[in-house]
Amino acid sequence: MLEIQELRQNADGVIEGLKKRHFDAQPIITELLGLDEQWRSRKTELEGISAQMNQISKEIGILFKEGKAEEANAAKAKTVELKELEAKLKSEVEELDEKILQLMYQLPNVPNELVKAGKSEADNEIVSEGGDQREYGFEPLPHWDLAAKYDLIDFELGVKITGAGFPIYKGKGAKLQRALIAYFLDKAEEAGYQEHIPPHVVNEASGYGTGQLPDKEGQMYHCTVDNLYLIPTAEVPLTNIYRDVILPNEDFSIKITGYTPCFRREAGSYGKDVRGLNRLHQFDKVEIVRIEHPNNTAKALDEMVEHVRGLLQELGLQYRVLRLCGGDTGFASAMTYDFEVFSAAQEKWLEVSSVSRFDTFQSNRLKLRFKNADKKTQLCHTLNGSALALPRIVAALMENYQTEDGILIPAVLQKYTGFDKIS
RNA sequence: GGAGAGGUGUCCGAGUGGUUGAAGGAGCACGCCUGGAAAGUGUGUAUACUGGGAAACUGGUAUCGAGGGUUCGAAUCCCUCUCUCUCCGCCA
């Protein structure tokens, strides 16, 4: 959520910035500022009345203490009218509050200055590329065929147990998952991220904290009996660790990581790119999360991008890094880098990581702050990224490392898998 | 799941209707004291919104788990929810 102060002081800047998303904020912000002005005047009025009420109550207390019951009762009569007025103003203020909040929820984050305007993924900028395209010398199989051929992943069995999008990994397929998770976590730890194993279900407050609620409710599985949500990403529990936290000084840099399964309903996305591992309802991911002083955000983002790049390089995958254009950048993000690996067998790029800076957009909701040099509280910046999401990495590894008689395991993973080839 | 006890500031802990944003203590910060330190001593020590002020600062409002209610007035009384602890039951 944007900061209302920012809108008051720099409405034009926000409107201009949001144009890069092809988002016309003008009408919302105009309405918002009007409501805000009303809100402030009502609020001032209300507080004046409350002050009077408090004063009278105090006096009544003193009168009773002095035994002047009659005067006290007379004073009580004065409050009747004030009380009515107070109630009326209070409900008006609350109503305005709610309207303002609903409008605030509709405004996405303002893109960073480096972000180019654009409508869709077609406008994303490729900022770097690495790795070589694989030459096969035979007709490569897509991963779903390889999964069947070597009995690594059983999609149909998953359908029987749960439904589409919940595959069952078997044998070396399962071991490969475990190896990747361990490898990613070890690399994150090496880079200074502290490992956490968070809950895989979260409460409503956490959903609001990172912005999944109220809007993206349909994306999450909801356990209605207990009103808990299955996490769509570790970002939710990991970032919410710092909900309602005020860090004591400005000397901080928090780096945490965690592996979790992720659950996404993906409602309405059937039929497109859903084959095999490309889009699942449950998948594994190692996430990295940072909480930074605003001065350090740009550097932190670069470090995260380099971290992910390092993983893809070690895995020997052909990849490219995209800086998303305004229109493709997530609602809460100020700037996002996507990582894609090339699948020669599917002849397309697969998104395997997304690294974003949110600046104060999340921390405003989370009430995550620090004490600055002036002893004032100030919002922290949050960042997060996948390092990495497993399914498409698995798909790319299987496809790119296939030979005619098996699938090779990249050198960095062999100590985790215990085998160097699947055949 | 059943029964009971509780949730007060950074922490401990008072407080059962009235100048209580909240005693007291600890911790922390700054000052005094000291050759230096300890001890001692003084002051300060929540968050948000809003008004005034260039700022230091200052007026107001709200906040004692959350939300409602009673009352001129609620940390204190009533209701709902939630969390923690103890006992019983169940159980990996």
Side-chain angles (χ1 to χ4, degrees):
Chain A
M1 190 162 67
L2 294 175
E3 294 168 78
I4 187 86
Q5 294 89 339
E6 177 71 12
L7 293 183
R8 286 178 195 152
Q9 288 157 20
N10 185 25
D12 292 341
V14 172
I15 290 167
E16 206 47 45
L18 289 178
K19 280 185 185 164
K20 288 202 276 190
R21 290 181 179 271
H22 287 263
F23 184 95
D24 182 11
Q26 180 81 60
I28 293 179
I29 291 182
T30 305
E31 188 181 354
L32 210 37
L33 290 178
L35 290 170
D36 181 54
E37 207 159 302
Q38 275 185 57
W39 178 82
R40 276 193 285 178
S41 87
R42 292 288 119 143
K43 178 104 171 165
T44 307
E45 216 177 315
L46 171 64
E47 287 180 353
I49 301 292
S50 298
Q52 282 183 56
M53 287 286 286
N54 289 342
Q55 183 58 35
I56 293 173
S57 295
K58 236 183 231 180
E59 284 163 9
I60 291 174
I62 293 168
L63 288 171
F64 272 123
K65 235 179 201 174
E66 292 172 349
K68 299 174 183 165
E70 240 170 80
E71 283 179 53
N73 284 321
K76 272 194 205 179
K78 284 198 291 185
T79 64
V80 177
E81 225 172 288
L82 281 176
K83 217 181 171 185
E84 256 171 49
L85 186 55
E86 189 183 34
K88 177 171 157 275
L89 284 169
K90 197 173 168 199
S91 74
E92 281 177 23
V93 168
E94 272 165 13
E95 204 174 300
L96 287 166
D97 256 334
E98 185 55 31
K99 276 188 191 162
I100 289 169
L101 189 63
Q102 289 310 321
L103 289 172
M104 291 299 292
Y105 281 153
Q106 291 175 33
L107 294 173
N109 204 351
V110 176
N112 186 273
E113 55 189 10
L114 290 175
V115 174
K116 298 272 191 297
K119 268 188 179 155
S120 69
E121 55 187 278
D123 300 316
N124 294 337
E125 305 167 72
I126 298 170
V127 293
S128 70
E129 296 180 80
D132 300 316
Q133 181 157 0
R134 167 81 201 274
E135 300 291 340
Y136 292 92
F138 58 92
E139 188 61 37
L141 297 172
H143 68 270
W144 48 87
D145 287 340
L146 292 165
K149 180 175 175 186
Y150 298 108
D151 196 24
L152 300 173
I153 306 169
D154 196 324
F155 293 96
E156 285 72 30
L157 201 51
V159 171
K160 171 184 172 185
I161 303 304
T162 307
F166 293 91
I168 291 179
Y169 303 87
K170 298 199 290 193
K172 285 184 171 171
K175 193 76 185 285
L176 179 59
Q177 292 285 121
R178 193 143 57 85
L180 281 164
I181 293 164
Y183 164 66
F184 291 147
L185 284 172
D186 282 355
K187 294 297 283 187
E189 195 182 350
E190 264 173 48
Y193 295 86
Q194 191 192 29
E195 184 179 351
H196 287 63
I197 301 181
H200 301 166
V201 248
V202 295
N203 58 28
E204 214 173 9
S206 294
Y208 278 95
T210 28
Q212 278 70 29
L213 297 175
D215 285 344
K216 290 170 225 154
E217 188 150 13
Q219 181 199 54
M220 291 192 289
Y221 288 96
H222 187 194
C223 313
T224 49
V225 181
D226 299 297
N227 198 24
L228 296 173
Y229 295 86
L230 271 62
I231 57 170
T233 157
E235 166 195 343
V236 178
L238 290 180
T239 312
N240 270 284
I241 290 172
Y242 291 90
R243 170 154 48 85
D244 290 320
V245 165
I246 300 176
L247 300 166
N249 55 53
E250 49 182 14
D251 181 27
F252 65 91
S253 178
I254 293 166
K255 301 167 73 174
I256 57 180
T257 185
Y259 150 72
T260 68
C262 302
F263 302 90
R264 297 187 183 179
R265 295 187 60 237
E266 301 290 1
S269 66
Y270 291 98
K272 190 185 164 227
D273 298 333
V274 298
R275 190 110 194 244
L277 294 171
N278 287 350
R279 176 171 266 123
L280 301 173
H281 288 305
Q282 179 184 327
F283 63 94
D284 295 304
K285 179 159 65 69
V286 171
E287 183 81 359
I288 50 177
V289 171
R290 298 179 67 145
I291 294 162
E292 297 287 345
H293 188 284
N295 292 343
N296 200 40
T297 308
K299 180 168 161 268
L301 184 65
D302 287 346
E303 286 171 8
M304 293 168 83
V305 167
E306 287 318 305
H307 179 77
V308 175
R309 185 202 307 282
L311 297 176
L312 294 175
Q313 254 159 4
E314 281 198 357
L315 289 173
L317 294 170
Q318 186 191 359
Y319 69 90
R320 64 182 189 183
V321 186
L322 308 172
R323 179 159 52 223
L324 301 189
C325 71
D328 207 27
T329 299
F331 190 83
S333 171
M335 179 154 71
T336 296
Y337 288 100
D338 268 7
F339 285 75
E340 297 180 338
V341 297
F342 190 70
S343 159
Q346 294 183 62
E347 291 179 329
K348 66 181 180 190
W349 290 94
L350 304 173
E351 184 194 330
V352 293
S353 174
S354 189
V355 179
S356 306
R357 57 181 285 178
F358 302 94
D359 297 355
T360 59
F361 198 84
Q362 285 186 329
S363 59
N364 189 28
R365 286 281 285 279
L366 289 162
K367 299 206 190 74
L368 164 54
R369 293 156 295 178
F370 66 97
K371 289 271 192 198
N372 66 21
D374 297 330
K375 303 271 187 197
K376 304 267 192 215
T377 52
Q378 194 181 332
L379 293 171
C380 298
H381 278 192
T382 61
L383 305 92
N384 65 49
S386 12
L388 289 162
L390 267 74
R392 293 178 195 151
I393 288 289
V394 169
L397 288 176
M398 287 167 68
E399 290 169 1
N400 288 314
Y401 279 90
Q402 65 180 295
T403 65
E404 282 179 284
D405 64 347
I407 299 168
L408 303 175
I409 300 297
V412 288
L413 287 180
Q414 288 172 16
K415 74 167 174 173
Y416 296 99
T417 54
F419 50 83
D420 58 11
K421 188 175 182 184
I422 293 168
S423 54

